Amino acid sequence: MRARVLIRPKAGILDPQGVAVERALPALGFAGASNVHVGRLVELDVDDAAQLRPMCEKLLANPLVEDYEVQLLDDGG
Amino acid sequence: MRARVLIRPKAGILDPQGVAVERALPALGFAGASNVHVGRLVELDVDDAAQLRPMCEKLLANPLVEDYEVQLLDDGG
């Protein structure tokens, strides 16, 4: 099955990419954006969805500084 | 409103992070993962959802080599 993992900096952990984006947007004429966070997206096919959380803990995310969210996708998307 | 942008390498564009993850998983004991792609995740609050696609074109994604998908989130999550 197709799965998606969303990986974000934990609350309170420095998110320099998010800060950079939030500062750059007004300079490009986009007002009103706030609370910007940048993380990683991993999409993969797996045989066993139960492996996804261990995969995150061991490889995909750094659980010390990142939170992750696993989504199972119905179709191939 | 809260919005999420998923940014992925376009099909056919080299995805070295995806390749690295796909090679590392079996070495860590995870069999059966395939078609692994690594992209970026941007989450932000915006006043005007119509700005999201222009933001992607101009700053968040590189439309030459990346596809993006905008999701509007109902709640603050």
Side-chain angles (χ1 to χ4, degrees), chain A residues 5 7 40 42 44 52 55-62 66, chain B residues 21 25 36:
Chain A
V5 181
I7 301 162
R40 287 197 310 288
V42 182
L44 70 170
L52 286 163
M55 282 179 189
C56 288
E57 294 284 339
K58 290 193 181 171
L59 180 68
L60 304 181
N62 178 347
E66 293 171 326
Chain B
V21 169
L25 285 170
V36 182

Side-chain angles (χ1 to χ4, degrees), chain A residues 2 4 6-8 17 20-22 24-25 28-48 51 54-56 58-60 69 71 77, chain B residues 2 4 6-8 17 20-22 24-25 28-48 51 54-56 58-60 69 71 77:
Chain A
R2 193 75 179 156
R4 175 183 294 156
L6 306 177
I7 301 162
R8 312 177 174 88
Q17 288 185 90
V21 169
E22 193 160 334
L25 284 170
L28 292 171
F30 299 109
S34 61
N35 203 6
V36 182
H37 293 289
V38 178
R40 287 197 310 288
L41 165 72
V42 182
E43 291 177 325
L44 70 170
D45 293 324
V46 287
D47 292 339
D48 177 7
Q51 289 190 322
M55 282 179 189
C56 288
K58 290 193 181 171
L59 180 68
L60 304 181
E69 175 184 344
Q71 299 178 338
Chain B
R2 192 77 178 153
R4 174 184 295 157
L6 307 178
I7 301 162
R8 313 177 173 88
Q17 288 185 90
V21 169
E22 193 161 332
L25 285 170
L28 292 170
F30 299 109
S34 60
N35 204 4
V36 182
H37 293 288
V38 177
R40 290 197 308 290
L41 165 72
V42 181
E43 292 178 327
L44 70 171
D45 293 324
V46 286
D47 293 339
D48 177 6
Q51 290 191 322
M55 282 179 187
C56 288
K58 290 192 181 173
L59 179 68
L60 303 181
E69 175 183 344
Q71 298 178 338

